[in-house]
Amino acid sequence: MPTYQAPLKDTLFLLNEVFPMEHFKTLDGFADLTPDLLEAILGEAARFCEQTLQPLNSVGDLEGCHRLDDGSVTTPKGFKEAFGLFAEGGWSGLSADPAYGGQGLPGTLSSIVQEFIYAANFSWGLYPVLSQGAYAALKVHASEELRQIYLPPLASGKWTGTMNMTEPHAGTDLGLLKTKALPQADGSYNITGQKIFISSGEHDLAENIVHLVLARIDGAPDGVKGLSLFVVPKFIPDADGNPGQRNALQCGSLEEKMGIHGNATCTMNYDGAAGWLIGEEDRGLPAMFVMMNEARLSVGIQGLGISEVAYQNAASYARERLQGRALGKPKDSDAKPDPLVVHPDIRRMLMNMRAFNEGARALMIWTALKADELHKSEDAAIRQAADDHLGLMTPVIKGVFTDAGFANAVQAQQVFGGHGYITELGIEQFVRDARIAMIYEGTNGIQALDLVGRKLPKDGGRALKTFLTEVTLFLADMKKDDAFAVYGEPLGMAVDDLQSATVWLMENSIAEPDNAGAAANDYMHLLGLVSLGYMWALMAKVSQERLTDETGDRAFFEAKLTTGRYFMERCLPKTQTHLTRICSGAESMMALPAEAF
């Protein structure tokens, strides 16, 4: 069966040396976070994921969730006990505001712990993560009265949260939503409608479930401008804040799915359920997008997590499985076969996965630190720059990470050969579980369109200009180091490709909008490659310095430099392919009449 070991050493390398946490000491939650405390926190998270969650992964896949006649749902064996340990350990409120029962630690730590959780048990991880998104939306947009009721139990893990948007006739196009909200004399609303594909919509892990529901107040405008957001609890809190009367909502059915069997994906029926408005009427989408943006970054981390655990198991199998003989070795029929890991094509797949994982982890942590700056810095310029970064990188992290997560799960399966296709070794579960991350919280095609159509031109392209300036200045500073050329020169060429693609889009997408749509996916992946390349350049710089001063684990830094060189030589050149596709335009893509398909 699969195993998992949290990448603690690699994570601490990033936090202590590439993006030193001491640089963020002025932000709330960072001041007391010494390297020893950081290692202790993440070490405990690693143990929980390795020892408690990972053994339940195949259990959840085999058992799934079950809906009972009364509409309640039971989760797989061990899930409830694991959730209790998670809540008792304070992990639910790790980065939540102490004013509402949280620990007030950096959000960056929550993002790192999410990677460990998703790698250990993807399905289980979906239960607590939606609570974090609900917490964020309520904290930003809800009244203080609602915050006092809902935030403490969400932070403690006593209650969990969900996001209710999709309806049978409306997925990405939220303007088509039909769920209605009727105002009541007591200030509440009666919510009536049906929502589908609701992750963690009903379960037995917590005493209450807090649904955030998009609905249209009677008489509101059509389209997205008429949507409002409501908090609709499974049990209505009583005067003391405890779960009281059962609300008029129910899980109508559980979806039968390709993967993530251990998570309850529900059809939720609202039959005049009591709900309370979050924020302003007809301003539900901005409130929901606080949760959506949290969710999109989290889904990107899902791609990284599944890629990491798939890589670890493929590498272990490749070291142990004897098959064939190394190229160049005498073909003596009596010679023993060699382990898979000696074969170049196996190495190709392993190095592809490893190079992505380590670069993606760096990009995730860099972006998580920007989120902490956005929420906690007192400097307006720093907050603005952080907001720009998040706007630019959120679709990249969601889209590129999840595309790669699925592709790498498939590569890991390929390393196992026929044994990867059968259930016994558990690798095929990674492929099935990984697939959903490319679809939910906005399909990856939508992420690419959002990047090219909204994020790229926003504020005159300020976010991209800032990113390119930072990378270009870094490369200029490193030109004096001849040993760095194997990293700097390929990254410089990739930056040129990104700039050329951006100019082409500016010149060709206004007169012909289909050019932007046709280029979007390639542009997202081009920007993703350059971003990962920059992360590898930063890690290579630090690793070279550490080898020079001869401190620390020499083998670790040498492996880091080798993996970075592989990325620059074998992965980054794909920017040229993306640029060629972008510049080909939309003509051949759109030429066939619709009826030809």
Side-chain angles (χ1 to χ4, degrees), residues 75 79-81 83-84 124 127 157-158 160 203-207:
T75 54
F79 271 43
K80 184 175 182 178
E81 291 76 12
F83 193 84
W124 187 94
Y127 291 104
K158 291 175 65 178
T160 62
H203 56 77
D204 57 1
L205 304 185
E207 65 182 28

Side-chain angles (χ1 to χ4, degrees), residues 452 456 500-510 515-517 519-520 523 582:
V452 169
L456 201 59
S500 296
T502 305
V503 170
W504 190 92
L505 277 174
M506 291 171 58
E507 293 176 347
N508 292 276
S509 60
I510 295 177
N515 282 332
Y523 190 90
I582 290 168

Side-chain angles (χ1 to χ4, degrees), residues 429-440:
Q429 183 190 342
F430 297 147
V431 177
R432 290 185 287 105
D433 285 350
R435 189 63 183 88
I436 185 57
M438 303 162 72
I439 298 172
Y440 59 17

Side-chain angles (χ1 to χ4, degrees), residues 112-367:
I112 292 166
V113 173
Q114 280 183 28
E115 184 205 333
F116 297 176
I117 290 172
Y118 289 135
N121 194 323
F122 192 152
S123 293
W124 187 94
L126 295 175
Y127 291 104
V129 74
L130 287 166
S131 303
Q132 294 177 20
Y135 176 98
L138 286 163
K139 188 172 187 296
V140 173
H141 288 282
S143 66
E144 183 58 27
E145 180 182 6
L146 290 179
R147 290 177 190 153
Q148 291 293 341
I149 294 172
Y150 291 100
L151 294 187
L154 285 171
S156 71
K158 291 175 65 178
W159 299 0
T160 62
T162 75
M163 175 168 51
N164 284 236
M165 292 191 298
T166 306
E167 298 181 5
H169 57 282
T172 299
D173 192 350
L174 297 176
L176 299 176
L177 296 183
K178 295 179 179 178
T179 298
K180 293 294 185 182
L182 295 177
Q184 303 299 297
D186 63 359
S188 66
Y189 291 77
N190 278 1
I191 310 298
T192 301
Q194 185 180 76
K195 300 289 184 177
I196 64 171
F197 305 158
I198 307 306
S199 298
S200 313
E202 173 63 28
H203 56 77
D204 57 1
L205 304 185
E207 65 182 28
N208 203 1
I209 302 174
V210 180
H211 301 285
L212 268 57
V213 182
L214 273 180
R216 197 180 306 278
I217 297 174
D218 195 36
D222 292 334
V224 295
K225 293 182 179 180
L227 296 176
S228 299
L229 184 63
F230 300 87
V231 57
V232 188
K234 176 181 176 180
F235 295 101
I236 300 171
D238 62 19
D240 297 321
N242 298 313
Q245 178 185 347
R246 174 65 193 255
N247 213 346
L249 59 91
Q250 189 179 63
C251 169
S253 64
L254 287 176
E255 299 294 345
E256 297 289 336
K257 311 185 296 291
M258 174 180 176
I260 57 168
H261 295 156
N263 189 260
T265 306
C266 304
T267 294
M268 297 300 300
N269 298 322
Y270 295 88
D271 187 17
W276 287 264
L277 182 67
I278 299 173
E280 303 175 22
E281 290 187 8
D282 304 337
R283 294 284 297 162
L285 213 52
M288 180 59 89
F289 265 98
V290 172
M291 191 172 187
M292 279 291 290
N293 287 333
E294 290 255 344
R296 285 173 174 173
L297 289 170
S298 179
V299 171
I301 298 171
Q302 292 169 15
L304 169 58
I306 208 81
S307 180
E308 174 64 28
V309 71
Y311 162 75
Q312 287 188 19
N313 284 276
S316 177
Y317 186 79
R319 290 193 304 268
E320 298 169 1
R321 173 74 168 175
L322 302 179
Q323 199 82 174
R325 296 182 179 87
L327 296 175
K329 188 175 181 179
K331 304 306 179 189
D332 184 345
S333 60
D334 295 327
K336 293 182 179 180
D338 293 304
L340 283 172
V341 74
V342 306
H343 302 299
D345 193 57
I346 297 294
R347 288 292 188 100
R348 172 185 64 83
M349 292 184 283
L350 294 177
M351 289 298 289
N352 283 345
M353 290 183 270
R354 178 173 180 149
F356 167 78
N357 293 344
E358 295 180 21
R361 184 170 299 113
L363 183 56
M364 178 268 286
I365 288 176
W366 186 40
T367 301

